[in-house]
């Protein structure tokens, strides 16, 4: 029993250290979204569940399972990939999250060619589950 508790404590400490490292990196420069894009509304009936698999294949390597910016590829990037559980991130409009994902900005790739608009909306819905 004691051993299990100790193991869990180490795991928690490790996870905490990883998270704070990810967030200790400097943020990228301000990333402005054109007003017309920021105001775009998600179509009705989009399923967050459908975005989960897309997240796993396209985004998790940098943004981490829960959007904390602690994916394995993030280690090699010198700016923060953001904290998608934060108020600051979640207060951004659906249209803005759609725009960031579609357009990308180095080191983040653009998904314009890789994903359809409806897939990007599914990802937006999935990112809303990270709050
Ligand atoms: C190679 C690593 C990488 C991958 C893969 C990646 N991103 Fe990013 N992402 C970043 C980085 C780094 C930033 C911060 C960019 C900046 O500030 O210039 C970012 C920023 C963002 C932002 C804006 C964050 C904010 O705080 O405003 C969103 C939204 C986003 N990514 C969504 C996604 C989605 C959805 C996917 C998958 C389809 C994805 N990203 C794949 C590295 C990545």
């Amino acid at each position: 029993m004691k051993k299990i508790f100790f193991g869990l404590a180490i795991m928690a400490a490790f996870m905490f250290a990883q998270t704070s490292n990810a967030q200790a990196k400097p943020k990228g420069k301000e990333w402005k979204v054109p007003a017309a894009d920021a105001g775009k509304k998600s179509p009705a009936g989009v399923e967050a569940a459908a975005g989960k698999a897309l997240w796993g294949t396209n985004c998790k390597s940098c943004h981490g399972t829960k959007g904390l910016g602690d994916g394995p590829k993030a280690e090699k990037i010198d700016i923060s990939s953001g904290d998608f559980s934060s108020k600051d991130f979640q207060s951004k409009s659906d249209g803005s999250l759609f725009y960031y994902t579609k357009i990308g900005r180095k080191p983040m790739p653009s998904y314009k060619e890789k994903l359809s608009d409806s897939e990007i909306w599914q990802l937006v819905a999935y990112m809303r589950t990270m709050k």
Side-chain angles (χ1 to χ4, degrees):
M1 190 62 195
K2 242 185 182 170
K3 258 191 194 155
I4 294 176
F5 180 76
F6 192 64
L8 283 176
I10 290 197
M11 239 167 72
F14 182 69
M15 280 161 67
F16 178 75
Q18 268 201 327
T19 309
S20 31
N21 278 345
Q23 295 314 320
K25 290 188 180 176
K27 286 190 180 155
K29 281 191 233 110
E30 194 191 351
W31 193 354
K32 287 220 173 94
V33 181
D37 290 292
K40 269 193 196 153
K41 297 268 182 290
S42 176
V46 173
E47 299 273 348
K52 189 175 181 179
L54 292 168
W55 179 266
T57 29
N58 297 286
C59 322
K60 193 174 140 182
S61 57
C62 291
H63 289 288
T65 310
K66 295 183 174 165
L68 299 177
D70 55 355
K73 269 200 204 163
E75 280 172 34
K76 296 179 196 103
I77 295 178
D78 53 4
I79 59 166
S80 162
S81 317
D83 173 359
F84 292 6
S85 71
S86 68
K87 256 203 185 129
D88 181 47
F89 178 84
Q90 291 293 340
S91 68
K92 294 176 184 183
S93 68
D94 285 348
S96 301
L97 303 190
F98 180 91
Y99 176 85
Y100 291 137
T101 305
K102 185 160 181 165
I103 303 302
R105 183 169 84 169
K106 271 188 182 165
M108 173 167 157
S110 160
Y111 287 91
K112 214 165 30 184
E113 312 288 335
K114 222 178 157 196
L115 300 172
S116 68
D117 282 6
S118 52
E119 286 174 320
I120 298 178
W121 284 121
Q122 288 168 354
L123 279 164
V124 170
Y126 188 64
M127 289 187 268
R128 291 299 181 204
T129 68
M130 293 170 172
K131 56 175 164 268

